[in-house]
Amino acid sequence: MAILFGGVPAVAKQWRKLLAEMLPTMEFRVWPEVGDPNDIEFVLWRHPKQGVLATLPNVKALFTMAAGVDHLDYDDIPAGFPIVRVVDPGMQENISTYAITWTLYFHRHFHAYEEQKARREWKVLPTAIPEKTPVGILGLGTLGTITARCLTTMGFPVAGWSRTAKSLDGIECFHGPDGVLPLMGRSKIVIVLLPMTAETKGVINAASLAAMPEGGFLINVARGAMVVDDDLLAALDNGHLAGAALDVFNEEPLTSDHPFWTHSKIRMTPHNASGPNVPARARQLADDILRIQRGEAPSQPVNRHARY
Ligand SMILES: NC(=O)c1ccc[n+]([C@@H]2O[C@H](COP(=O)([O-])OP(=O)(O)OC[C@H]3O[C@@H](n4cnc5c(N)ncnc54)[C@H](OP(=O)(O)O)[C@@H]3O)[C@@H](O)[C@H]2O)c1
């Protein structure tokens, strides 16, 4: 019984130590030292090397070490075992506080006060009232739901959009392709917390941004490809949108000549809304392995058909 680890050797050391404590009877092997391929029951690999999984006949699960699974080559992953995402409590806290921080930043006019400071302008802006600032969250999964609940507690009227119909206490729920424009239309601040799939690519475009109320804000914490960059720039430049905060980009790292760098209405972070927390991830992995060994489903299985 062994785990095959496909990450970098420096990180392997930390995983080996943690898993030796949590799963003492499980051997830990680091690619390319596979040993007997029949021994490998669990694979821990963000980008499995092409063709390798097909050479391991007894795999019971592939753990991706990430919450987003848009990077996987699904045709290269044999059917018959679950693909498991990582979403630990630390990630939920990091992503929700990231989205909430920018929501409060825009809601409390801090972007405008920053600009006023540069002009040495002393001017008090209208009091910000959460009840009058509807927030819309695209994606009501593990990260969108916790963010929605926190913002609801703060008094914001929150709505969310999902693929399948949902009913969540205190949160207005929209779903399906027809739900996105109504959601954007009622939301002064829109937070993107969707997985990147063929259906969600480019969902933030000229039409959906135009549906937002004048002076709205966009926060993208999910994947850059959900946003059509030129459409976002046009909406900011023509004044329809008042600001955007972005953690993720169509191309990463962002090229040095990209217009986002110098745009006065864009705030940016380098895809670090949530950094890796190896002990928390190892805990989830160990718990999931024990579940699978008991014949139960893992905590975060990927839907191979929907690809998230
Ligand atoms: N910036 C970072 O550092 C960072 C860190 C972690 C994660 N992320 C990103 O955040 C994403 C979301 O994570 P999560 O754990 O919340 O994912 P999740 O639990 O899989 O939830 C995804 C949500 O999006 C909805 N959705 C999927 N396809 C849709 C569609 N076509 N139309 C409408 N709604 C759709 C799902 O609807 P249903 O509920 O109906 O299935 C679900 O509510 C990840 O995929 C990853 O890319 C970014």
Side-chain angles (χ1 to χ4, degrees):
M1 221 170 35
I3 295 177
L4 178 65
F5 180 86
V8 293
V11 185
K13 212 171 143 191
Q14 194 182 3
W15 276 95
R16 183 192 294 281
K17 184 169 177 296
L18 287 162
L19 292 178
E21 289 159 13
M22 295 173 191
L23 301 168
T25 59
M26 186 79 71
E27 246 192 87
F28 187 86
R29 298 183 190 163
V30 181
W31 169 262
E33 306 301 325
V34 178
D36 181 350
N38 291 299
D39 297 345
I40 307 297
E41 291 195 346
F42 300 99
V43 177
L44 180 51
W45 208 336
R46 188 186 164 92
H47 291 276
K49 197 174 161 58
Q50 189 138 38
V52 172
L53 291 168
T55 67
L56 308 171
N58 296 320
V59 174
K60 294 198 170 109
L62 165 68
F63 293 89
T64 65
M65 295 205 276
V69 287
D70 46 288
H71 62 283
L72 290 175
D73 177 357
Y74 287 83
D75 295 336
D76 189 53
I77 305 173
F81 56 79
I83 303 170
V84 188
R85 310 187 297 138
V86 171
V87 187
D88 60 66
M91 183 184 287
Q92 287 181 301
E93 186 186 311
N94 284 335
I95 294 289
S96 58
T97 53
Y98 182 94
I100 292 162
T101 300
W102 286 121
T103 301
L104 296 176
Y105 176 89
F106 290 131
H107 168 68
R108 292 296 310 267
H109 314 304
F110 289 163
H111 61 293
Y113 285 125
E114 235 181 80
E115 287 161 20
Q116 286 185 199
K117 177 171 177 281
R119 295 195 296 270
R120 296 169 188 252
E121 183 183 353
W122 182 278
K123 182 176 147 198
V124 176
L125 297 171
T127 305
I129 301 169
E131 287 74 10
K132 296 206 166 147
T133 308
V135 178
I137 303 182
L138 301 185
L140 281 175
T142 58
L143 304 176
T145 302
I146 188 170
T147 306
R149 291 210 188 289
C150 293
L151 288 169
T152 303
T153 308
M154 291 174 182
F156 292 95
V158 178
W161 182 57
S162 53
R163 188 170 61 89
T164 56
K166 282 202 185 322
S167 162
L168 298 172
D169 246 11
I171 296 163
E172 198 183 350
C173 292
F174 297 82
H175 73 277
D178 295 340
V180 68
L181 293 185
L183 176 120
M184 304 255 320
R186 50 78 69 203
S187 302
K188 176 95 188 274
I189 300 176
V190 168
I191 300 170
V192 185
L193 272 172
L194 290 164
M196 221 304 278
T197 67
E199 285 80 42
T200 61
K201 187 168 188 227
V203 67
I204 303 296
N205 55 38
S208 59
L209 290 169
M212 286 181 70
E214 190 87 26
F217 301 94
L218 176 77
I219 300 167
N220 186 10
V221 206
R223 285 290 180 270
M226 245 84 82
V227 175
V228 179
D229 288 358
D230 286 344
D231 293 357
L232 173 61
L233 287 166
L236 291 165
D237 289 340
N238 68 26
H240 186 65
L241 275 201
L246 310 172
D247 185 51
V248 286
F249 304 89
N250 272 292
E251 202 180 335
E252 296 183 4
L254 198 61
T255 51
S256 58
D257 59 348
H258 197 288
F260 285 176
W261 285 112
T262 49
H263 204 289
S264 63
K265 290 184 176 175
I266 292 181
R267 306 289 181 272
M268 286 173 16
T269 48
H271 197 152
N272 72 333
S274 173
N277 178 342
V278 178
R281 289 181 181 190
R283 185 70 269 159
Q284 188 201 320
L285 176 110
D287 287 348
D288 274 335
I289 286 180
L290 295 173
R291 275 176 213 251
I292 291 167
Q293 287 176 331
R294 288 195 300 267
E296 297 165 17
S299 60
Q300 294 289 335
V302 172
N303 176 333
R304 286 184 187 236
H305 178 67
R307 302 209 162 173
Y308 70 91

PDB file of all heavy atoms in Angstrom, residues 230-242:
ATOM      1  N   ASP A 230     -10.635  42.811 -22.317  1.00  0.00           N
ATOM      2  CA  ASP A 230     -10.961  44.045 -23.056  1.00  0.00           C
ATOM      3  C   ASP A 230     -12.338  44.583 -22.662  1.00  0.00           C
ATOM      4  O   ASP A 230     -12.543  45.801 -22.614  1.00  0.00           O
ATOM      5  CB  ASP A 230     -10.928  43.785 -24.573  1.00  0.00           C
ATOM      6  CG  ASP A 230      -9.480  43.647 -25.065  1.00  0.00           C
ATOM      7  OD1 ASP A 230      -8.557  44.039 -24.317  1.00  0.00           O
ATOM      8  OD2 ASP A 230      -9.285  43.138 -26.188  1.00  0.00           O
ATOM      9  N   ASP A 231     -13.265  43.676 -22.378  1.00  0.00           N
ATOM     10  CA  ASP A 231     -14.617  44.117 -21.984  1.00  0.00           C
ATOM     11  C   ASP A 231     -14.584  44.754 -20.596  1.00  0.00           C
ATOM     12  O   ASP A 231     -15.281  45.737 -20.330  1.00  0.00           O
ATOM     13  CB  ASP A 231     -15.597  42.928 -21.998  1.00  0.00           C
ATOM     14  CG  ASP A 231     -15.834  42.404 -23.418  1.00  0.00           C
ATOM     15  OD1 ASP A 231     -15.286  43.003 -24.372  1.00  0.00           O
ATOM     16  OD2 ASP A 231     -16.557  41.401 -23.565  1.00  0.00           O
ATOM     17  N   LEU A 232     -13.757  44.186 -19.714  1.00  0.00           N
ATOM     18  CA  LEU A 232     -13.630  44.785 -18.373  1.00  0.00           C
ATOM     19  C   LEU A 232     -13.009  46.185 -18.483  1.00  0.00           C
ATOM     20  O   LEU A 232     -13.499  47.141 -17.877  1.00  0.00           O
ATOM     21  CB  LEU A 232     -12.766  43.885 -17.471  1.00  0.00           C
ATOM     22  CG  LEU A 232     -12.423  44.473 -16.101  1.00  0.00           C
ATOM     23  CD1 LEU A 232     -13.681  44.753 -15.280  1.00  0.00           C
ATOM     24  CD2 LEU A 232     -11.493  43.535 -15.314  1.00  0.00           C
ATOM     25  N   LEU A 233     -11.945  46.290 -19.286  1.00  0.00           N
ATOM     26  CA  LEU A 233     -11.291  47.596 -19.446  1.00  0.00           C
ATOM     27  C   LEU A 233     -12.266  48.619 -20.028  1.00  0.00           C
ATOM     28  O   LEU A 233     -12.328  49.767 -19.568  1.00  0.00           O
ATOM     29  CB  LEU A 233     -10.061  47.455 -20.367  1.00  0.00           C
ATOM     30  CG  LEU A 233      -8.856  46.752 -19.718  1.00  0.00           C
ATOM     31  CD1 LEU A 233      -7.832  46.352 -20.783  1.00  0.00           C
ATOM     32  CD2 LEU A 233      -8.200  47.650 -18.662  1.00  0.00           C
ATOM     33  N   ALA A 234     -13.064  48.195 -21.011  1.00  0.00           N
ATOM     34  CA  ALA A 234     -14.025  49.120 -21.640  1.00  0.00           C
ATOM     35  C   ALA A 234     -15.053  49.586 -20.599  1.00  0.00           C
ATOM     36  O   ALA A 234     -15.380  50.779 -20.530  1.00  0.00           O
ATOM     37  CB  ALA A 234     -14.722  48.433 -22.815  1.00  0.00           C
ATOM     38  N   ALA A 235     -15.534  48.658 -19.757  1.00  0.00           N
ATOM     39  CA  ALA A 235     -16.549  49.024 -18.757  1.00  0.00           C
ATOM     40  C   ALA A 235     -15.969  49.970 -17.701  1.00  0.00           C
ATOM     41  O   ALA A 235     -16.670  50.847 -17.189  1.00  0.00           O
ATOM     42  CB  ALA A 235     -17.101  47.768 -18.094  1.00  0.00           C
ATOM     43  N   LEU A 236     -14.684  49.813 -17.394  1.00  0.00           N
ATOM     44  CA  LEU A 236     -14.042  50.722 -16.435  1.00  0.00           C
ATOM     45  C   LEU A 236     -13.791  52.083 -17.090  1.00  0.00           C
ATOM     46  O   LEU A 236     -14.010  53.139 -16.483  1.00  0.00           O
ATOM     47  CB  LEU A 236     -12.713  50.123 -15.952  1.00  0.00           C
ATOM     48  CG  LEU A 236     -12.818  48.882 -15.051  1.00  0.00           C
ATOM     49  CD1 LEU A 236     -11.473  48.171 -14.942  1.00  0.00           C
ATOM     50  CD2 LEU A 236     -13.324  49.257 -13.654  1.00  0.00           C
ATOM     51  N   ASP A 237     -13.353  52.049 -18.351  1.00  0.00           N
ATOM     52  CA  ASP A 237     -13.002  53.301 -19.034  1.00  0.00           C
ATOM     53  C   ASP A 237     -14.227  54.148 -19.364  1.00  0.00           C
ATOM     54  O   ASP A 237     -14.150  55.374 -19.353  1.00  0.00           O
ATOM     55  CB  ASP A 237     -12.212  53.001 -20.322  1.00  0.00           C
ATOM     56  CG  ASP A 237     -10.802  52.498 -19.997  1.00  0.00           C
ATOM     57  OD1 ASP A 237     -10.342  52.754 -18.860  1.00  0.00           O
ATOM     58  OD2 ASP A 237     -10.177  51.849 -20.859  1.00  0.00           O
ATOM     59  N   ASN A 238     -15.354  53.484 -19.671  1.00  0.00           N
ATOM     60  CA  ASN A 238     -16.531  54.309 -20.003  1.00  0.00           C
ATOM     61  C   ASN A 238     -17.316  54.701 -18.741  1.00  0.00           C
ATOM     62  O   ASN A 238     -18.380  55.306 -18.830  1.00  0.00           O
ATOM     63  CB  ASN A 238     -17.426  53.619 -21.052  1.00  0.00           C
ATOM     64  CG  ASN A 238     -18.114  52.365 -20.496  1.00  0.00           C
ATOM     65  OD1 ASN A 238     -18.346  52.229 -19.297  1.00  0.00           O
ATOM     66  ND2 ASN A 238     -18.461  51.442 -21.403  1.00  0.00           N
ATOM     67  N   GLY A 239     -16.786  54.334 -17.570  1.00  0.00           N
ATOM     68  CA  GLY A 239     -17.372  54.783 -16.306  1.00  0.00           C
ATOM     69  C   GLY A 239     -18.500  53.912 -15.800  1.00  0.00           C
ATOM     70  O   GLY A 239     -19.039  54.157 -14.724  1.00  0.00           O
ATOM     71  N   HIS A 240     -18.879  52.884 -16.568  1.00  0.00           N
ATOM     72  CA  HIS A 240     -19.986  52.040 -16.095  1.00  0.00           C
ATOM     73  C   HIS A 240     -19.587  51.302 -14.814  1.00  0.00           C
ATOM     74  O   HIS A 240     -20.360  51.213 -13.869  1.00  0.00           O
ATOM     75  CB  HIS A 240     -20.387  51.040 -17.189  1.00  0.00           C
ATOM     76  CG  HIS A 240     -21.607  50.260 -16.823  1.00  0.00           C
ATOM     77  ND1 HIS A 240     -22.844  50.862 -16.661  1.00  0.00           N
ATOM     78  CD2 HIS A 240     -21.803  48.945 -16.546  1.00  0.00           C
ATOM     79  CE1 HIS A 240     -23.728  49.939 -16.305  1.00  0.00           C
ATOM     80  NE2 HIS A 240     -23.117  48.769 -16.223  1.00  0.00           N
ATOM     81  N   LEU A 241     -18.345  50.783 -14.793  1.00  0.00           N
ATOM     82  CA  LEU A 241     -17.825  50.165 -13.565  1.00  0.00           C
ATOM     83  C   LEU A 241     -16.926  51.168 -12.847  1.00  0.00           C
ATOM     84  O   LEU A 241     -16.182  51.914 -13.488  1.00  0.00           O
ATOM     85  CB  LEU A 241     -16.982  48.932 -13.886  1.00  0.00           C
ATOM     86  CG  LEU A 241     -17.616  47.562 -14.085  1.00  0.00           C
ATOM     87  CD1 LEU A 241     -16.570  46.482 -13.875  1.00  0.00           C
ATOM     88  CD2 LEU A 241     -18.805  47.326 -13.177  1.00  0.00           C
ATOM     89  N   ALA A 242     -16.968  51.133 -11.514  1.00  0.00           N
ATOM     90  CA  ALA A 242     -16.146  52.081 -10.752  1.00  0.00           C
ATOM     91  C   ALA A 242     -14.842  51.458 -10.270  1.00  0.00           C
ATOM     92  O   ALA A 242     -13.931  52.181  -9.851  1.00  0.00           O
ATOM     93  CB  ALA A 242     -16.944  52.610  -9.564  1.00  0.00           C
TER      94      ALA A 242
END
